[in-house]
Amino acid sequence: MSPPSSSSPLRKRIFVGTFIHTPILSPPTISVLENAVVGVDERGVIGFIEEQVEGLYEWDNEDGDSVDGLTRGMRDVMVKNGWEVKDVEEAVVGGYSGSGWWFPGFVDTHTHASQLPNTGLFGTTTLLDWLETYTFPLESRFSSLSHARRVYSRAVTSTLSHGTTTCAYYATIHPESTNLLADICMDKGQRAFVGKVCMDCKDTCPDYYREESAEASLESTKAVVRHIRSKDPKGELVQPIVTPRFAPSCTKASLATLGQLAEDESLPIQTHISENKGEIALVKQMFPECGSYAGVYDSFHLLTPRTVLAHAVHLHDAEVKLIKNRGSAVSHCPLSNTSLGSGICPVRKLLDHGVKVGLGTDFSGGGSCSLLTAAREASGVSRLLGNFEKMKGASTRDMERMKLSVAECLYLATKGGAECMGLEKKVGAFEVGMEWDAQLVRLERVPEDGDEDRRGGERGDEGTVQCWGNESWEEKVAKWMYCGDDRNTRKVYVKGRLVHDRS
């Protein structure tokens, strides 16, 4: 079933069932609202939330139907909140007999839309030779708009199908295809930050894939900013983002002008930091006067409260403190950190220092465009890091503290990512006044009589997660995080609009 056009007008809707979110990090909390109704208005904003509603599933007749498609409990809630039945387009029920729930849409704080065709390709390379062998040749092809359309359409469709309602995208150095990516995000209804990659350094960028100068890089970036703002002046759905690839790819002149542009135009910034030790050595060689990798960005006014730094695997304590003081955020990318052998980001250390942290898929360095997979990997690598610290003499208590819980990983995938992108008042949780960015999750319920022939739909259509009927909501969420995939994501909404429907 195709979702409606992103330009079609909205009407009020109510959403019914169980709602689960992770609204706070300390203490880590999985909040469950059962027998609940959420009202979403014409702007896609949550108008009310009511839980434990009486008569929620009491239909007008025994066939489970009614003239207006509503139950007694739904009508009562609407009247209580001043809504009239005639103004509501539909009630979307997501209960599914205890095996389904509504969850906030994922916020992917770092990925490369152009690299989707290379997902899973990295051989035995590490970061710098991976860029030369796989990435730069691929990205150089995006001067072709037909090629860009093919890749970017699939990238946005794929991330939406995995429940990602907000995505921070790196494009390439080509302004026309970057504009196309922004247009596709708007057409498909995905909330996005879209950045033209900036890289003009002759010493580190190949001749066939490099901008002519700092001035050329700046002007093409300005052109992208103008284009996106012409299509979405208030940045309600898609925003431009300043995107120096990473410090070694840019001249000092380019970093300086990009920092000034971000300040003048109040733009967010995204880049990479301390992903790989060879990269860090290169930064030290190119910018000896700056003292550290983080110090490079700070020197050029690129370390701001709207900056998202991907990876941050090998930061020194002074850099962590600097990032915290500047209010910048870190995108934890466990999939690519593992694939490229870069190391393990000490997320607990960053959180303990008050640094904002979200999750990034970082495909194609990461082997999946699923942020659920990234959350799963974040849990796994945190456990490995705890064991490594134990081997180096850490106490059992300190080892256990390194581990990220299910609630923490899902917080990073939703509310934490929203904080990184400056959207924490809009998305990432279910609260009155926030926008309806949500996904409907459904797991398979194993037939109690063992009759496998009674399973609905195609075999395996609901994924590999199995519910046996005795799990708590928290256990169902854990099963989903550790075993789920896009087959469990049945519907996806952005700003109240249906953008993906697998039902």
Side-chain angles (χ1 to χ4, degrees):
M1 177 180 176
S2 299
S5 167
S6 62
S7 60
S8 57
L10 285 175
R11 291 179 59 196
K12 291 178 180 177
R13 287 184 175 90
I14 61 170
F15 297 86
V16 179
T18 298
F19 298 77
I20 300 176
H21 62 154
T22 51
I24 58 175
L25 184 60
S26 182
T29 302
I30 295 177
S31 178
V32 181
L33 310 178
E34 294 188 82
N35 296 319
V37 178
V38 172
V40 177
D41 68 19
E42 302 92 336
R43 302 167 299 152
V45 175
I46 297 174
F48 63 81
I49 299 174
E50 299 282 350
E51 58 180 312
Q52 298 300 339
V53 176
E54 293 185 7
L56 186 56
Y57 300 109
E58 291 184 11
W59 300 92
D60 292 347
N61 57 55
E62 294 179 357
D63 296 329
D65 197 6
S66 63
V67 175
D68 55 15
L70 302 173
T71 64
R72 177 178 66 82
M74 297 175 195
R75 295 190 197 98
D76 290 346
V77 165
M78 291 165 55
V79 170
K80 176 183 176 181
N81 287 278
W83 283 25
E84 295 188 31
V85 171
K86 65 180 180 63
D87 294 330
V88 175
E89 180 174 3
E90 64 176 337
V92 186
V93 181
Y96 298 106
S97 301
S99 60
W101 65 89
W102 297 99
F103 195 78
F106 291 135
V107 181
D108 189 340
T109 56
H110 179 79
T111 204
H112 296 260
S114 58
Q115 294 178 24
L116 183 66
N118 275 4
T119 302
L121 300 180
F122 40 80
T124 59
T125 59
T126 54
L127 175 64
L128 298 180
D129 53 332
W130 171 76
L131 290 171
E132 294 285 349
T133 304
Y134 294 100
T135 303
F136 292 158
L138 174 67
E139 291 190 10
S140 68
R141 297 177 59 193
F142 280 74
S143 57
S144 165
L145 288 181
S146 60
H147 176 71
R149 182 178 299 279
R150 182 186 183 203
V151 175
Y152 288 154
S153 293
R154 177 56 63 91
V156 176
T157 299
S158 296
T159 53
L160 281 172
S161 73
H162 284 276
T164 297
T165 52
T166 300
C167 201
Y169 288 118
Y170 286 57
T172 64
I173 67 173
H174 310 99
E176 293 83 5
S177 59
T178 302
N179 291 342
L180 178 61
L181 173 58
D183 292 347
I184 290 170
C185 290
M186 283 184 263
D187 290 343
K188 292 184 179 294
Q190 187 177 50
R191 198 183 298 273
F193 294 79
V194 176
K196 183 199 73 68
V197 172
C198 299
M199 41 190 292
D200 70 317
C201 182
K202 295 180 180 180
D203 295 332
T204 56
C205 303
D207 292 341
Y208 66 85
Y209 188 53
R210 184 183 70 235
E211 295 173 292
E212 292 182 4
S213 65
E215 293 78 11
S217 181
L218 176 65
E219 290 307 311
S220 60
T221 298
K222 287 181 176 179
V224 169
V225 172
R226 288 194 297 271
H227 174 83
I228 295 175
R229 286 180 169 173
S230 72
K231 296 295 185 73
D232 190 351
K234 296 181 180 180
E236 294 181 346
L237 197 66
V238 179
Q239 298 183 46
I241 185 168
V242 173
T243 308
R245 182 176 212 108
F246 65 157
S249 70
C250 299
T251 60
K252 294 176 182 178
S254 183
L255 292 173
T257 56
L258 292 173
Q260 190 63 53
L261 175 65
E263 182 178 346
D264 292 344
E265 297 291 333
S266 299
L267 292 166
I269 300 163
Q270 61 181 357
T271 190
H272 300 75
I273 191 170
S274 296
E275 179 177 358
N276 169 279
K277 290 189 175 180
E279 165 208 14
I280 296 168
L282 180 60
V283 170
K284 185 176 182 180
Q285 175 186 332
M286 294 178 65
F287 303 92
E289 72 281 5
C290 293
S292 69
Y293 205 152
V296 174
Y297 294 131
D298 196 46
S299 297
F300 295 103
H301 307 288
L302 290 164
L303 213 57
T304 77
R306 302 195 69 191
T307 298
V308 181
L309 303 162
H311 302 290
V313 175
H314 305 288
L315 294 174
H316 297 299
D317 289 347
E319 292 180 287
V320 174
K321 183 177 180 180
L322 176 60
I323 291 168
K324 166 61 170 64
N325 289 341
R326 295 292 183 263
S328 301
V330 166
S331 175
H332 176 36
C333 304
L335 291 166
S336 58
N337 291 343
T338 300
S339 297
L340 297 177
S342 299
I344 302 175
C345 176
V347 174
R348 180 68 66 199
K349 175 181 177 180
L350 297 175
L351 294 175
D352 285 348
H353 281 78
V355 175
K356 296 176 291 188
V357 181
L359 289 181
T361 53
D362 193 27
F363 60 82
S364 65
S368 173
C369 61
S370 164
L371 206 65
L372 187 67
T373 302
R376 180 184 310 151
E377 188 80 358
S379 171
V381 298
S382 74
R383 290 170 175 268
L384 283 177
L385 185 59
N387 286 328
F388 293 156
E389 293 300 314
K390 177 69 172 177
M391 291 167 63
K392 292 190 294 186
S395 67
T396 299
R397 178 182 178 277
D398 288 342
M399 178 191 74
E400 292 297 324
R401 283 202 73 255
M402 298 298 288
K403 299 176 182 178
L404 298 175
S405 67
V406 169
E408 289 172 316
C409 291
L410 292 176
Y411 178 92
L412 298 183
T414 53
K415 190 69 176 292
E419 290 172 344
C420 291
M421 305 311 304
L423 297 175
E424 66 274 12
K425 294 183 180 180
K426 281 190 173 183
V427 300
F430 296 136
E431 298 175 12
V432 173
M434 298 181 76
E435 296 181 5
W436 180 249
D437 284 21
Q439 54 185 309
L440 175 60
V441 178
R442 188 169 74 203
L443 309 182
E444 178 193 9
R445 188 179 179 92
V446 179
E448 293 186 8
D449 60 5
D451 184 358
E452 291 295 300
D453 293 332
R454 290 195 302 103
R455 292 172 64 180
E458 295 296 325
R459 189 167 295 272
D461 185 53
E462 293 185 342
T464 59
V465 189
Q466 300 172 353
C467 285
W468 295 86
N470 60 338
E471 300 93 344
S472 67
W473 282 113
E474 289 77 9
E475 288 170 336
K476 292 172 189 175
V477 170
K479 282 190 170 186
W480 172 56
M481 192 187 88
Y482 284 115
C483 307
D485 58 34
D486 59 320
R487 289 171 293 182
N488 303 118
T489 305
R490 311 307 294 188
K491 294 178 184 288
V492 180
Y493 290 81
V494 176
K495 208 172 188 295
R497 193 178 302 279
L498 180 67
V499 294
H500 173 74
D501 191 354
R502 194 183 173 91
S503 299

